[in-house]
Amino acid sequence: MNSLRTKPALAAFVLLALVAVNAAAIYAIYEPKQGLLTVSFLAVGQGDAILIESPEGVQLLIDGGRDRAVLRQLPRVMGPLDRSIDMVLATHPDADHIGGLPDVLNRYRVSYYLSPGIEHGTSQAERLDVAVEKEPGAVSILARKGMRIHLGEAVYADVLYPDHDVSKGETNSGSIVLRLVHGDTSFMLTGDAPSSVEDYLISLGGELDSDVLKAGHHGSRTSTGSAWLNAVIPATVVISAGKDNSYGHPHEEVLERIQVSGASVASTVEGRPVIFTSDGKTVVHK
């Protein structure tokens, strides 16, 4: 300590060296892994929040949980200095999916905002509407079947549902369903879509098989039906739910259906994020 007081030039050199080392460490931790897609199911309690980052660093946040917990989770996967998100998507306007999004829009620069267009006059939905309107430069888009969201050269997300006006309908039944693709790997992300929507998508045909399936409605018995599991054929089913939640999610029937399908279960129930990476050929659960 005395040597630093008596030799300011040396002290300055040591300080700069430490800054350089710390900066290098931060860069090593948070630099996007070249060639890898990262899909992080954030631990936001009883709710959904999924951050997707493409190999090129394009970011898509799907839902934001019930409250400000998402603001504590995002820096852990994005890095503490990142203050922009390319696209925010709200699958449907229930509180446990959009409650944290106004805070995200207030803290991060967002370029695009996607929603299904469901009218929902709750305080959370109204607060989100205000935040979207105040976000400078954010483009609002109505998500509909047939849209393809490009997240770089090799990564895209296809909107599978809704395929009609859901503005007056029940919120869960209007949930946006996405199939995220990177090369030969894919993720099925369903919001709170019930089994009726799952069965409808099966009836339409098309490519549904996916390496990872997010269980609909936090593992509720009203979603993730046997027919859907047989159509998607996931290796892993992710359940986003809070520990000891009052809904009893995930329901035992769902866990049994997943077990019968042969898929494994990964969950945020214990308060830890569930993170996958894909190189376009293989999905790895970190």
PDB file of all heavy atoms in Angstrom, residues 68-106:
ATOM      1  N   ARG A  68     -40.317  -7.339 -12.004  1.00  0.00           N
ATOM      2  CA  ARG A  68     -38.982  -6.862 -12.349  1.00  0.00           C
ATOM      3  C   ARG A  68     -37.887  -7.930 -12.235  1.00  0.00           C
ATOM      4  O   ARG A  68     -36.723  -7.649 -12.477  1.00  0.00           O
ATOM      5  CB  ARG A  68     -38.620  -5.674 -11.441  1.00  0.00           C
ATOM      6  CG  ARG A  68     -39.462  -4.429 -11.714  1.00  0.00           C
ATOM      7  CD  ARG A  68     -39.180  -3.345 -10.671  1.00  0.00           C
ATOM      8  NE  ARG A  68     -37.790  -2.939 -10.675  1.00  0.00           N
ATOM      9  CZ  ARG A  68     -37.279  -2.010 -11.476  1.00  0.00           C
ATOM     10  NH1 ARG A  68     -38.064  -1.395 -12.353  1.00  0.00           N
ATOM     11  NH2 ARG A  68     -36.001  -1.684 -11.402  1.00  0.00           N
ATOM     12  N   ALA A  69     -38.253  -9.149 -11.891  1.00  0.00           N
ATOM     13  CA  ALA A  69     -37.261 -10.218 -11.791  1.00  0.00           C
ATOM     14  C   ALA A  69     -36.501 -10.397 -13.100  1.00  0.00           C
ATOM     15  O   ALA A  69     -35.320 -10.756 -13.102  1.00  0.00           O
ATOM     16  CB  ALA A  69     -37.936 -11.543 -11.403  1.00  0.00           C
ATOM     17  N   VAL A  70     -37.136 -10.109 -14.213  1.00  0.00           N
ATOM     18  CA  VAL A  70     -36.479 -10.254 -15.508  1.00  0.00           C
ATOM     19  C   VAL A  70     -35.274  -9.324 -15.631  1.00  0.00           C
ATOM     20  O   VAL A  70     -34.286  -9.658 -16.299  1.00  0.00           O
ATOM     21  CB  VAL A  70     -37.486 -10.007 -16.655  1.00  0.00           C
ATOM     22  CG1 VAL A  70     -37.962  -8.556 -16.689  1.00  0.00           C
ATOM     23  CG2 VAL A  70     -36.897 -10.410 -17.996  1.00  0.00           C
ATOM     24  N   LEU A  71     -35.331  -8.169 -14.959  1.00  0.00           N
ATOM     25  CA  LEU A  71     -34.205  -7.228 -15.017  1.00  0.00           C
ATOM     26  C   LEU A  71     -32.986  -7.758 -14.270  1.00  0.00           C
ATOM     27  O   LEU A  71     -31.856  -7.356 -14.556  1.00  0.00           O
ATOM     28  CB  LEU A  71     -34.610  -5.870 -14.438  1.00  0.00           C
ATOM     29  CG  LEU A  71     -35.690  -5.097 -15.199  1.00  0.00           C
ATOM     30  CD1 LEU A  71     -35.903  -3.730 -14.567  1.00  0.00           C
ATOM     31  CD2 LEU A  71     -35.331  -4.956 -16.676  1.00  0.00           C
ATOM     32  N   ARG A  72     -33.191  -8.643 -13.326  1.00  0.00           N
ATOM     33  CA  ARG A  72     -32.060  -9.268 -12.628  1.00  0.00           C
ATOM     34  C   ARG A  72     -31.495 -10.424 -13.438  1.00  0.00           C
ATOM     35  O   ARG A  72     -30.307 -10.747 -13.321  1.00  0.00           O
ATOM     36  CB  ARG A  72     -32.501  -9.771 -11.248  1.00  0.00           C
ATOM     37  CG  ARG A  72     -32.945  -8.662 -10.295  1.00  0.00           C
ATOM     38  CD  ARG A  72     -33.119  -9.186  -8.892  1.00  0.00           C
ATOM     39  NE  ARG A  72     -34.226 -10.127  -8.776  1.00  0.00           N
ATOM     40  CZ  ARG A  72     -35.483  -9.783  -8.552  1.00  0.00           C
ATOM     41  NH1 ARG A  72     -35.809  -8.493  -8.423  1.00  0.00           N
ATOM     42  NH2 ARG A  72     -36.435 -10.696  -8.444  1.00  0.00           N
ATOM     43  N   GLN A  73     -32.334 -11.038 -14.254  1.00  0.00           N
ATOM     44  CA  GLN A  73     -31.905 -12.208 -15.005  1.00  0.00           C
ATOM     45  C   GLN A  73     -31.206 -11.854 -16.316  1.00  0.00           C
ATOM     46  O   GLN A  73     -30.240 -12.513 -16.709  1.00  0.00           O
ATOM     47  CB  GLN A  73     -33.123 -13.097 -15.301  1.00  0.00           C
ATOM     48  CG  GLN A  73     -33.763 -13.715 -14.080  1.00  0.00           C
ATOM     49  CD  GLN A  73     -32.837 -14.682 -13.365  1.00  0.00           C
ATOM     50  OE1 GLN A  73     -32.179 -15.509 -13.991  1.00  0.00           O
ATOM     51  NE2 GLN A  73     -32.765 -14.576 -12.044  1.00  0.00           N
ATOM     52  N   LEU A  74     -31.679 -10.825 -16.994  1.00  0.00           N
ATOM     53  CA  LEU A  74     -31.131 -10.506 -18.310  1.00  0.00           C
ATOM     54  C   LEU A  74     -29.624 -10.217 -18.303  1.00  0.00           C
ATOM     55  O   LEU A  74     -28.902 -10.731 -19.169  1.00  0.00           O
ATOM     56  CB  LEU A  74     -31.895  -9.329 -18.927  1.00  0.00           C
ATOM     57  CG  LEU A  74     -33.267  -9.665 -19.498  1.00  0.00           C
ATOM     58  CD1 LEU A  74     -33.992  -8.401 -19.925  1.00  0.00           C
ATOM     59  CD2 LEU A  74     -33.152 -10.637 -20.673  1.00  0.00           C
ATOM     60  N   PRO A  75     -29.100  -9.405 -17.370  1.00  0.00           N
ATOM     61  CA  PRO A  75     -27.647  -9.155 -17.392  1.00  0.00           C
ATOM     62  C   PRO A  75     -26.805 -10.405 -17.224  1.00  0.00           C
ATOM     63  O   PRO A  75     -25.655 -10.446 -17.670  1.00  0.00           O
ATOM     64  CB  PRO A  75     -27.443  -8.186 -16.218  1.00  0.00           C
ATOM     65  CG  PRO A  75     -28.774  -7.540 -16.018  1.00  0.00           C
ATOM     66  CD  PRO A  75     -29.778  -8.607 -16.330  1.00  0.00           C
ATOM     67  N   ARG A  76     -27.360 -11.433 -16.617  1.00  0.00           N
ATOM     68  CA  ARG A  76     -26.601 -12.661 -16.394  1.00  0.00           C
ATOM     69  C   ARG A  76     -26.380 -13.434 -17.691  1.00  0.00           C
ATOM     70  O   ARG A  76     -25.429 -14.214 -17.789  1.00  0.00           O
ATOM     71  CB  ARG A  76     -27.331 -13.547 -15.380  1.00  0.00           C
ATOM     72  CG  ARG A  76     -27.460 -12.887 -14.009  1.00  0.00           C
ATOM     73  CD  ARG A  76     -28.235 -13.750 -13.034  1.00  0.00           C
ATOM     74  NE  ARG A  76     -28.396 -13.072 -11.753  1.00  0.00           N
ATOM     75  CZ  ARG A  76     -29.060 -13.562 -10.723  1.00  0.00           C
ATOM     76  NH1 ARG A  76     -29.624 -14.763 -10.811  1.00  0.00           N
ATOM     77  NH2 ARG A  76     -29.159 -12.879  -9.606  1.00  0.00           N
ATOM     78  N   VAL A  77     -27.264 -13.240 -18.655  1.00  0.00           N
ATOM     79  CA  VAL A  77     -27.101 -13.949 -19.928  1.00  0.00           C
ATOM     80  C   VAL A  77     -26.692 -13.015 -21.067  1.00  0.00           C
ATOM     81  O   VAL A  77     -26.116 -13.466 -22.064  1.00  0.00           O
ATOM     82  CB  VAL A  77     -28.396 -14.697 -20.311  1.00  0.00           C
ATOM     83  CG1 VAL A  77     -28.631 -15.856 -19.365  1.00  0.00           C
ATOM     84  CG2 VAL A  77     -29.600 -13.776 -20.336  1.00  0.00           C
ATOM     85  N   MET A  78     -26.961 -11.719 -20.934  1.00  0.00           N
ATOM     86  CA  MET A  78     -26.605 -10.752 -21.974  1.00  0.00           C
ATOM     87  C   MET A  78     -25.274 -10.074 -21.717  1.00  0.00           C
ATOM     88  O   MET A  78     -24.617  -9.603 -22.640  1.00  0.00           O
ATOM     89  CB  MET A  78     -27.681  -9.662 -22.071  1.00  0.00           C
ATOM     90  CG  MET A  78     -29.024 -10.126 -22.562  1.00  0.00           C
ATOM     91  SD  MET A  78     -30.272  -8.814 -22.454  1.00  0.00           S
ATOM     92  CE  MET A  78     -29.558  -7.558 -23.520  1.00  0.00           C
ATOM     93  N   GLY A  79     -24.902  -9.993 -20.441  1.00  0.00           N
ATOM     94  CA  GLY A  79     -23.767  -9.178 -20.046  1.00  0.00           C
ATOM     95  C   GLY A  79     -24.259  -7.882 -19.431  1.00  0.00           C
ATOM     96  O   GLY A  79     -25.303  -7.352 -19.811  1.00  0.00           O
ATOM     97  N   PRO A  80     -23.523  -7.329 -18.454  1.00  0.00           N
ATOM     98  CA  PRO A  80     -23.989  -6.156 -17.708  1.00  0.00           C
ATOM     99  C   PRO A  80     -23.959  -4.855 -18.493  1.00  0.00           C
ATOM    100  O   PRO A  80     -24.604  -3.887 -18.096  1.00  0.00           O
ATOM    101  CB  PRO A  80     -23.024  -6.104 -16.522  1.00  0.00           C
ATOM    102  CG  PRO A  80     -21.771  -6.749 -17.037  1.00  0.00           C
ATOM    103  CD  PRO A  80     -22.231  -7.826 -17.954  1.00  0.00           C
ATOM    104  N   LEU A  81     -23.228  -4.803 -19.600  1.00  0.00           N
ATOM    105  CA  LEU A  81     -23.084  -3.549 -20.340  1.00  0.00           C
ATOM    106  C   LEU A  81     -24.039  -3.447 -21.528  1.00  0.00           C
ATOM    107  O   LEU A  81     -24.144  -2.388 -22.140  1.00  0.00           O
ATOM    108  CB  LEU A  81     -21.638  -3.383 -20.825  1.00  0.00           C
ATOM    109  CG  LEU A  81     -20.566  -3.449 -19.737  1.00  0.00           C
ATOM    110  CD1 LEU A  81     -19.183  -3.263 -20.345  1.00  0.00           C
ATOM    111  CD2 LEU A  81     -20.821  -2.404 -18.657  1.00  0.00           C
ATOM    112  N   ASP A  82     -24.703  -4.529 -21.858  1.00  0.00           N
ATOM    113  CA  ASP A  82     -25.614  -4.541 -23.004  1.00  0.00           C
ATOM    114  C   ASP A  82     -26.909  -3.840 -22.620  1.00  0.00           C
ATOM    115  O   ASP A  82     -27.569  -4.217 -21.653  1.00  0.00           O
ATOM    116  CB  ASP A  82     -25.900  -5.986 -23.413  1.00  0.00           C
ATOM    117  CG  ASP A  82     -26.542  -6.093 -24.782  1.00  0.00           C
ATOM    118  OD1 ASP A  82     -27.094  -5.088 -25.267  1.00  0.00           O
ATOM    119  OD2 ASP A  82     -26.492  -7.189 -25.363  1.00  0.00           O
ATOM    120  N   ARG A  83     -27.298  -2.832 -23.383  1.00  0.00           N
ATOM    121  CA  ARG A  83     -28.505  -2.070 -23.088  1.00  0.00           C
ATOM    122  C   ARG A  83     -29.446  -2.019 -24.281  1.00  0.00           C
ATOM    123  O   ARG A  83     -30.234  -1.097 -24.427  1.00  0.00           O
ATOM    124  CB  ARG A  83     -28.145  -0.642 -22.652  1.00  0.00           C
ATOM    125  CG  ARG A  83     -27.669  -0.541 -21.202  1.00  0.00           C
ATOM    126  CD  ARG A  83     -28.811  -0.861 -20.247  1.00  0.00           C
ATOM    127  NE  ARG A  83     -28.435  -0.717 -18.854  1.00  0.00           N
ATOM    128  CZ  ARG A  83     -27.955  -1.683 -18.100  1.00  0.00           C
ATOM    129  NH1 ARG A  83     -27.772  -2.891 -18.638  1.00  0.00           N
ATOM    130  NH2 ARG A  83     -27.642  -1.481 -16.837  1.00  0.00           N
ATOM    131  N   SER A  84     -29.379  -3.025 -25.157  1.00  0.00           N
ATOM    132  CA  SER A  84     -30.302  -3.059 -26.284  1.00  0.00           C
ATOM    133  C   SER A  84     -30.756  -4.488 -26.536  1.00  0.00           C
ATOM    134  O   SER A  84     -30.008  -5.452 -26.309  1.00  0.00           O
ATOM    135  CB  SER A  84     -29.654  -2.483 -27.546  1.00  0.00           C
ATOM    136  OG  SER A  84     -28.584  -3.291 -27.968  1.00  0.00           O
ATOM    137  N   ILE A  85     -31.997  -4.620 -26.978  1.00  0.00           N
ATOM    138  CA  ILE A  85     -32.570  -5.907 -27.377  1.00  0.00           C
ATOM    139  C   ILE A  85     -33.237  -5.665 -28.722  1.00  0.00           C
ATOM    140  O   ILE A  85     -34.054  -4.752 -28.870  1.00  0.00           O
ATOM    141  CB  ILE A  85     -33.599  -6.420 -26.349  1.00  0.00           C
ATOM    142  CG1 ILE A  85     -32.926  -6.647 -24.991  1.00  0.00           C
ATOM    143  CG2 ILE A  85     -34.253  -7.702 -26.836  1.00  0.00           C
ATOM    144  CD1 ILE A  85     -33.890  -7.006 -23.876  1.00  0.00           C
ATOM    145  N   ASP A  86     -32.881  -6.452 -29.708  1.00  0.00           N
ATOM    146  CA  ASP A  86     -33.378  -6.194 -31.056  1.00  0.00           C
ATOM    147  C   ASP A  86     -34.893  -6.320 -31.159  1.00  0.00           C
ATOM    148  O   ASP A  86     -35.554  -5.506 -31.809  1.00  0.00           O
ATOM    149  CB  ASP A  86     -32.707  -7.149 -32.050  1.00  0.00           C
ATOM    150  CG  ASP A  86     -31.205  -6.941 -32.092  1.00  0.00           C
ATOM    151  OD1 ASP A  86     -30.770  -5.955 -32.703  1.00  0.00           O
ATOM    152  OD2 ASP A  86     -30.480  -7.741 -31.495  1.00  0.00           O
ATOM    153  N   MET A  87     -35.432  -7.326 -30.509  1.00  0.00           N
ATOM    154  CA  MET A  87     -36.866  -7.572 -30.637  1.00  0.00           C
ATOM    155  C   MET A  87     -37.431  -8.113 -29.334  1.00  0.00           C
ATOM    156  O   MET A  87     -36.827  -8.967 -28.687  1.00  0.00           O
ATOM    157  CB  MET A  87     -37.122  -8.577 -31.766  1.00  0.00           C
ATOM    158  CG  MET A  87     -38.569  -8.898 -32.022  1.00  0.00           C
ATOM    159  SD  MET A  87     -38.748 -10.013 -33.458  1.00  0.00           S
ATOM    160  CE  MET A  87     -38.179  -8.935 -34.783  1.00  0.00           C
ATOM    161  N   VAL A  88     -38.608  -7.601 -28.953  1.00  0.00           N
ATOM    162  CA  VAL A  88     -39.360  -8.114 -27.810  1.00  0.00           C
ATOM    163  C   VAL A  88     -40.676  -8.656 -28.337  1.00  0.00           C
ATOM    164  O   VAL A  88     -41.357  -7.995 -29.129  1.00  0.00           O
ATOM    165  CB  VAL A  88     -39.602  -7.022 -26.754  1.00  0.00           C
ATOM    166  CG1 VAL A  88     -40.633  -7.478 -25.728  1.00  0.00           C
ATOM    167  CG2 VAL A  88     -38.299  -6.651 -26.059  1.00  0.00           C
ATOM    168  N   LEU A  89     -41.039  -9.858 -27.898  1.00  0.00           N
ATOM    169  CA  LEU A  89     -42.283 -10.483 -28.328  1.00  0.00           C
ATOM    170  C   LEU A  89     -43.097 -10.867 -27.101  1.00  0.00           C
ATOM    171  O   LEU A  89     -42.582 -11.537 -26.206  1.00  0.00           O
ATOM    172  CB  LEU A  89     -41.978 -11.712 -29.181  1.00  0.00           C
ATOM    173  CG  LEU A  89     -43.161 -12.466 -29.789  1.00  0.00           C
ATOM    174  CD1 LEU A  89     -42.753 -13.113 -31.115  1.00  0.00           C
ATOM    175  CD2 LEU A  89     -43.700 -13.552 -28.842  1.00  0.00           C
ATOM    176  N   ALA A  90     -44.334 -10.416 -27.053  1.00  0.00           N
ATOM    177  CA  ALA A  90     -45.261 -10.797 -25.988  1.00  0.00           C
ATOM    178  C   ALA A  90     -46.197 -11.858 -26.548  1.00  0.00           C
ATOM    179  O   ALA A  90     -46.981 -11.576 -27.455  1.00  0.00           O
ATOM    180  CB  ALA A  90     -46.053  -9.588 -25.502  1.00  0.00           C
ATOM    181  N   THR A  91     -46.122 -13.090 -26.028  1.00  0.00           N
ATOM    182  CA  THR A  91     -46.943 -14.159 -26.601  1.00  0.00           C
ATOM    183  C   THR A  91     -48.428 -13.894 -26.414  1.00  0.00           C
ATOM    184  O   THR A  91     -49.241 -14.214 -27.287  1.00  0.00           O
ATOM    185  CB  THR A  91     -46.604 -15.521 -25.984  1.00  0.00           C
ATOM    186  OG1 THR A  91     -46.792 -15.472 -24.562  1.00  0.00           O
ATOM    187  CG2 THR A  91     -45.173 -15.925 -26.309  1.00  0.00           C
ATOM    188  N   HIS A  92     -48.795 -13.313 -25.271  1.00  0.00           N
ATOM    189  CA  HIS A  92     -50.187 -12.954 -24.978  1.00  0.00           C
ATOM    190  C   HIS A  92     -50.169 -12.072 -23.729  1.00  0.00           C
ATOM    191  O   HIS A  92     -49.179 -12.051 -22.991  1.00  0.00           O
ATOM    192  CB  HIS A  92     -51.063 -14.190 -24.790  1.00  0.00           C
ATOM    193  CG  HIS A  92     -50.683 -15.031 -23.608  1.00  0.00           C
ATOM    194  ND1 HIS A  92     -49.463 -15.677 -23.504  1.00  0.00           N
ATOM    195  CD2 HIS A  92     -51.363 -15.332 -22.465  1.00  0.00           C
ATOM    196  CE1 HIS A  92     -49.416 -16.332 -22.359  1.00  0.00           C
ATOM    197  NE2 HIS A  92     -50.553 -16.129 -21.708  1.00  0.00           N
ATOM    198  N   PRO A  93     -51.246 -11.316 -23.473  1.00  0.00           N
ATOM    199  CA  PRO A  93     -51.161 -10.279 -22.442  1.00  0.00           C
ATOM    200  C   PRO A  93     -51.513 -10.689 -21.017  1.00  0.00           C
ATOM    201  O   PRO A  93     -52.022  -9.874 -20.244  1.00  0.00           O
ATOM    202  CB  PRO A  93     -52.153  -9.230 -22.966  1.00  0.00           C
ATOM    203  CG  PRO A  93     -53.187 -10.012 -23.673  1.00  0.00           C
ATOM    204  CD  PRO A  93     -52.461 -11.169 -24.300  1.00  0.00           C
ATOM    205  N   ASP A  94     -51.239 -11.917 -20.612  1.00  0.00           N
ATOM    206  CA  ASP A  94     -51.438 -12.291 -19.211  1.00  0.00           C
ATOM    207  C   ASP A  94     -50.289 -11.742 -18.368  1.00  0.00           C
ATOM    208  O   ASP A  94     -49.156 -11.637 -18.839  1.00  0.00           O
ATOM    209  CB  ASP A  94     -51.524 -13.808 -19.065  1.00  0.00           C
ATOM    210  CG  ASP A  94     -52.888 -14.349 -19.481  1.00  0.00           C
ATOM    211  OD1 ASP A  94     -53.758 -13.534 -19.845  1.00  0.00           O
ATOM    212  OD2 ASP A  94     -53.064 -15.582 -19.454  1.00  0.00           O
ATOM    213  N   ALA A  95     -50.588 -11.438 -17.108  1.00  0.00           N
ATOM    214  CA  ALA A  95     -49.630 -10.747 -16.239  1.00  0.00           C
ATOM    215  C   ALA A  95     -48.323 -11.499 -16.075  1.00  0.00           C
ATOM    216  O   ALA A  95     -47.251 -10.889 -16.000  1.00  0.00           O
ATOM    217  CB  ALA A  95     -50.260 -10.499 -14.873  1.00  0.00           C
ATOM    218  N   ASP A  96     -48.375 -12.841 -16.032  1.00  0.00           N
ATOM    219  CA  ASP A  96     -47.151 -13.610 -15.806  1.00  0.00           C
ATOM    220  C   ASP A  96     -46.269 -13.717 -17.049  1.00  0.00           C
ATOM    221  O   ASP A  96     -45.204 -14.335 -17.012  1.00  0.00           O
ATOM    222  CB  ASP A  96     -47.473 -14.997 -15.257  1.00  0.00           C
ATOM    223  CG  ASP A  96     -48.438 -15.779 -16.133  1.00  0.00           C
ATOM    224  OD1 ASP A  96     -49.118 -15.176 -16.985  1.00  0.00           O
ATOM    225  OD2 ASP A  96     -48.522 -17.014 -15.957  1.00  0.00           O
ATOM    226  N   HIS A  97     -46.706 -13.085 -18.122  1.00  0.00           N
ATOM    227  CA  HIS A  97     -45.913 -13.034 -19.351  1.00  0.00           C
ATOM    228  C   HIS A  97     -45.496 -11.607 -19.723  1.00  0.00           C
ATOM    229  O   HIS A  97     -44.458 -11.420 -20.352  1.00  0.00           O
ATOM    230  CB  HIS A  97     -46.684 -13.660 -20.513  1.00  0.00           C
ATOM    231  CG  HIS A  97     -46.844 -15.142 -20.393  1.00  0.00           C
ATOM    232  ND1 HIS A  97     -46.148 -16.046 -21.153  1.00  0.00           N
ATOM    233  CD2 HIS A  97     -47.621 -15.879 -19.558  1.00  0.00           C
ATOM    234  CE1 HIS A  97     -46.486 -17.272 -20.806  1.00  0.00           C
ATOM    235  NE2 HIS A  97     -47.383 -17.201 -19.830  1.00  0.00           N
ATOM    236  N   ILE A  98     -46.296 -10.628 -19.342  1.00  0.00           N
ATOM    237  CA  ILE A  98     -45.993  -9.247 -19.753  1.00  0.00           C
ATOM    238  C   ILE A  98     -45.690  -8.313 -18.597  1.00  0.00           C
ATOM    239  O   ILE A  98     -45.292  -7.173 -18.816  1.00  0.00           O
ATOM    240  CB  ILE A  98     -47.139  -8.643 -20.586  1.00  0.00           C
ATOM    241  CG1 ILE A  98     -48.417  -8.477 -19.726  1.00  0.00           C
ATOM    242  CG2 ILE A  98     -47.407  -9.477 -21.836  1.00  0.00           C
ATOM    243  CD1 ILE A  98     -49.469  -7.599 -20.357  1.00  0.00           C
ATOM    244  N   GLY A  99     -45.859  -8.771 -17.350  1.00  0.00           N
ATOM    245  CA  GLY A  99     -45.687  -7.879 -16.208  1.00  0.00           C
ATOM    246  C   GLY A  99     -44.338  -7.194 -16.152  1.00  0.00           C
ATOM    247  O   GLY A  99     -44.220  -6.040 -15.732  1.00  0.00           O
ATOM    248  N   GLY A 100     -43.278  -7.890 -16.586  1.00  0.00           N
ATOM    249  CA  GLY A 100     -41.938  -7.315 -16.541  1.00  0.00           C
ATOM    250  C   GLY A 100     -41.518  -6.588 -17.801  1.00  0.00           C
ATOM    251  O   GLY A 100     -40.472  -5.921 -17.816  1.00  0.00           O
ATOM    252  N   LEU A 101     -42.318  -6.666 -18.870  1.00  0.00           N
ATOM    253  CA  LEU A 101     -41.913  -6.069 -20.139  1.00  0.00           C
ATOM    254  C   LEU A 101     -41.862  -4.545 -20.131  1.00  0.00           C
ATOM    255  O   LEU A 101     -40.978  -3.961 -20.783  1.00  0.00           O
ATOM    256  CB  LEU A 101     -42.819  -6.561 -21.275  1.00  0.00           C
ATOM    257  CG  LEU A 101     -42.610  -8.019 -21.691  1.00  0.00           C
ATOM    258  CD1 LEU A 101     -43.515  -8.371 -22.867  1.00  0.00           C
ATOM    259  CD2 LEU A 101     -41.149  -8.286 -22.042  1.00  0.00           C
ATOM    260  N   PRO A 102     -42.762  -3.831 -19.432  1.00  0.00           N
ATOM    261  CA  PRO A 102     -42.611  -2.373 -19.380  1.00  0.00           C
ATOM    262  C   PRO A 102     -41.261  -1.945 -18.817  1.00  0.00           C
ATOM    263  O   PRO A 102     -40.641  -0.991 -19.317  1.00  0.00           O
ATOM    264  CB  PRO A 102     -43.767  -1.927 -18.480  1.00  0.00           C
ATOM    265  CG  PRO A 102     -44.801  -2.975 -18.654  1.00  0.00           C
ATOM    266  CD  PRO A 102     -44.028  -4.252 -18.781  1.00  0.00           C
ATOM    267  N   ASP A 103     -40.774  -2.656 -17.796  1.00  0.00           N
ATOM    268  CA  ASP A 103     -39.464  -2.328 -17.221  1.00  0.00           C
ATOM    269  C   ASP A 103     -38.344  -2.630 -18.215  1.00  0.00           C
ATOM    270  O   ASP A 103     -37.344  -1.897 -18.274  1.00  0.00           O
ATOM    271  CB  ASP A 103     -39.255  -3.112 -15.927  1.00  0.00           C
ATOM    272  CG  ASP A 103     -40.257  -2.727 -14.852  1.00  0.00           C
ATOM    273  OD1 ASP A 103     -40.321  -1.538 -14.511  1.00  0.00           O
ATOM    274  OD2 ASP A 103     -40.992  -3.611 -14.377  1.00  0.00           O
ATOM    275  N   VAL A 104     -38.504  -3.689 -18.996  1.00  0.00           N
ATOM    276  CA  VAL A 104     -37.509  -4.001 -20.036  1.00  0.00           C
ATOM    277  C   VAL A 104     -37.470  -2.886 -21.065  1.00  0.00           C
ATOM    278  O   VAL A 104     -36.392  -2.400 -21.451  1.00  0.00           O
ATOM    279  CB  VAL A 104     -37.845  -5.344 -20.711  1.00  0.00           C
ATOM    280  CG1 VAL A 104     -36.968  -5.555 -21.946  1.00  0.00           C
ATOM    281  CG2 VAL A 104     -37.661  -6.498 -19.729  1.00  0.00           C
ATOM    282  N   LEU A 105     -38.633  -2.440 -21.519  1.00  0.00           N
ATOM    283  CA  LEU A 105     -38.694  -1.389 -22.529  1.00  0.00           C
ATOM    284  C   LEU A 105     -38.168  -0.058 -21.995  1.00  0.00           C
ATOM    285  O   LEU A 105     -37.616   0.748 -22.752  1.00  0.00           O
ATOM    286  CB  LEU A 105     -40.135  -1.222 -23.019  1.00  0.00           C
ATOM    287  CG  LEU A 105     -40.628  -2.345 -23.936  1.00  0.00           C
ATOM    288  CD1 LEU A 105     -42.142  -2.400 -23.961  1.00  0.00           C
ATOM    289  CD2 LEU A 105     -40.083  -2.171 -25.346  1.00  0.00           C
ATOM    290  N   ASN A 106     -38.323   0.173 -20.709  1.00  0.00           N
ATOM    291  CA  ASN A 106     -37.815   1.401 -20.105  1.00  0.00           C
ATOM    292  C   ASN A 106     -36.300   1.377 -19.937  1.00  0.00           C
ATOM    293  O   ASN A 106     -35.655   2.432 -19.952  1.00  0.00           O
ATOM    294  CB  ASN A 106     -38.477   1.645 -18.752  1.00  0.00           C
ATOM    295  CG  ASN A 106     -39.943   2.020 -18.879  1.00  0.00           C
ATOM    296  OD1 ASN A 106     -40.356   2.556 -19.910  1.00  0.00           O
ATOM    297  ND2 ASN A 106     -40.732   1.731 -17.858  1.00  0.00           N
TER     298      ASN A 106
END
